[in-house]
Amino acid sequence: MITGYLDHAATTPLRPEALVAMQPFLGERFGNPSGAHAVARDARAGVEDAREQVAEVLGFRPQEIVFTSGGTEADNLAVLGAVRRHGGTAVTVATEHHAVLHPVEHLGGRVVGVDGIGRVDLEELADALDERTRLVSVMAANNEAGTVNDLAAVAAVVRERAPQAWLHTDAVQGACWLDLRGLDVDLVSLSAHKLGGPKGVGVLALREGVTLEPLWYGGGQERERRSGTHAVPAIAGLGAALAATAAERAATNERVGRLRDRLVDGLLAIDGVHETVPRSHKVAGSAHVCIEGVDSESLLFLLERAGVSASAASSCASGALEPSHVLSAMAVPKEWSVGALRLSLGWCSTDADVDLALDVIPAAVAQLRR
Ligand code: PLP
């Protein structure tokens, strides 16, 4: 692995388990799983094995798992699918990923605020819910600041104030770190490439009884919920990556949490560095700080030159750094948020990554402040 890669929230290197699981489906097991003959059945077995792996990790049943092209599609399918099929409105939170926010806004839904560390404001959420609410979407963990929402508390509010509504959680950033079994949620989105799987594949898990309008029409795969020939190698990789992630989750949380703590403690030794969210309220892989007297773009440039891959706002298609809607919603002062730095660790992060970052970042900050 490349030393200095601290952008696991953007994407993760492929886990070896995923690569091994994918290889047969890039070779001799090439069939189309929708077909009727033995070659097709062999590919279908790969898809169904992965479905069982995903169902097991999420605490859903295999028939409740729908494979998608990634987190963005899963989020859009949850929000648009529920409201287009059943009417009503959608409610979400200001710090959500745009894959949730934009569909909710497109439908004219409600967006509620967060507290100073990025947790959904439960009172505001309760006020936003009524008998027209069809879908509520609250993320498990935030992609920028790493904040974890209390989904049990969210579910209690939703069940009381809008019992007809379904609760969706975007667990794209949560799945590495949080045990998602037993959550009182109706729909869950995942993305393989955030947890050591390949890019371009994800999951929408939906409880029996949740019915959605598909995003597009075609061959009726995935029980009419998501047409299109299955990306069999990617699906096999997703299943293996998620199973390995869940099996090692406790140990990874501990190991990576220690690395993250050393990293953040080292950064806090620099004057004018603020930890954006207390560690007790965020996932173990997330380090987010705001550095006074520097701007993120210049800092990232210096870090990249010194071999550290990091990010400021969440990475977006253009690579352009726009003001972060997450930090704005958290009311982080502008003088701080212009120097936001997101360092995110993952399954293969090592002491060497932290050593390099702690070598490079203080020097880069000093250079920019001169
Ligand atoms: N949701 C969250 C919280 C994310 O962080 C991301 C990706 O950054 C997505 C959704 C989109 O997932 P994908 O890249 O698989 O489309």
Side-chain angles (χ1 to χ4, degrees), residues 10-281:
T11 198
T12 53
L14 196 69
R15 293 186 73 115
E17 298 88 343
L19 185 58
V20 168
M22 290 169 75
Q23 267 157 351
F25 301 100
L26 294 163
E28 71 277 15
R29 299 181 70 184
F30 63 87
N32 181 334
S34 300
H37 44 64
V39 176
R41 279 196 300 278
D42 189 39
R44 186 149 72 240
V47 173
E48 295 316 314
D49 287 348
R51 199 185 304 282
E52 280 175 23
Q53 287 173 308
V54 173
E56 164 80 25
V57 171
L58 292 183
F60 278 63
R61 295 185 303 167
Q63 62 270 32
E64 297 173 322
I65 303 301
V66 174
F67 290 113
T68 66
S69 63
T72 300
E73 186 191 335
D75 288 344
N76 274 266
L77 180 56
V79 175
L80 299 176
V83 174
R84 285 178 181 164
R85 171 65 65 95
H86 300 282
T89 59
V91 175
T92 191
V93 185
T95 48
E96 294 287 318
H97 192 274
H98 287 133
V100 170
L101 265 181
H102 287 170
V104 170
E105 287 165 358
H106 173 76
L107 294 168
R110 300 269 310 257
V111 178
V112 304
V114 295
D115 65 13
I117 62 170
R119 293 172 302 183
V120 57
D121 181 327
L122 293 174
E123 276 178 31
E124 210 186 305
L125 177 65
D127 287 343
L129 303 178
D130 61 27
E131 67 290 344
R132 276 184 29 81
T133 311
R134 179 72 261 167
L135 185 103
V136 180
S137 185
V138 178
M139 70 200 324
N142 184 265
N143 43 301
E144 280 184 44
T147 306
V148 174
N149 273 308
D150 180 352
L151 287 174
V154 169
V157 170
V158 173
R159 304 309 180 206
E160 193 199 321
R161 298 295 285 251
Q164 79 289 349
W166 290 319
L167 176 57
H168 166 249
T169 189
D170 174 339
V172 166
Q173 297 287 344
C176 275
W177 314 104
L178 308 170
D179 187 349
L180 301 167
R181 286 169 308 177
L183 284 180
D184 180 15
V185 294
D186 305 298
L187 303 103
V188 180
S189 297
L190 297 183
S191 173
H193 75 104
K194 309 289 188 180
L195 45 86
K199 290 164 187 60
V201 64
V203 165
L204 182 64
L206 62 168
R207 301 265 181 222
E208 196 182 345
V210 177
T211 49
L212 304 174
E213 192 65 21
L215 291 178
W216 56 75
Y217 302 93
Q221 286 90 343
E222 297 295 80
R223 297 166 183 251
E224 306 284 341
R225 296 170 296 193
R226 200 280 184 179
S227 284
T229 299
H230 293 91
V232 185
I235 289 170
L238 159 60
L242 186 62
T245 297
E248 293 169 12
R249 193 186 285 119
T252 306
N253 266 309
E254 223 182 284
R255 188 183 72 80
V256 173
R258 272 201 305 274
L259 289 176
R260 187 274 311 270
D261 289 350
R262 186 161 77 80
L263 175 61
V264 177
D265 289 340
L267 296 178
L268 290 175
I270 309 171
D271 264 357
V273 173
H274 307 276
E275 196 170 2
T276 316
V277 172
R279 284 167 238 181
S280 51
H281 288 88

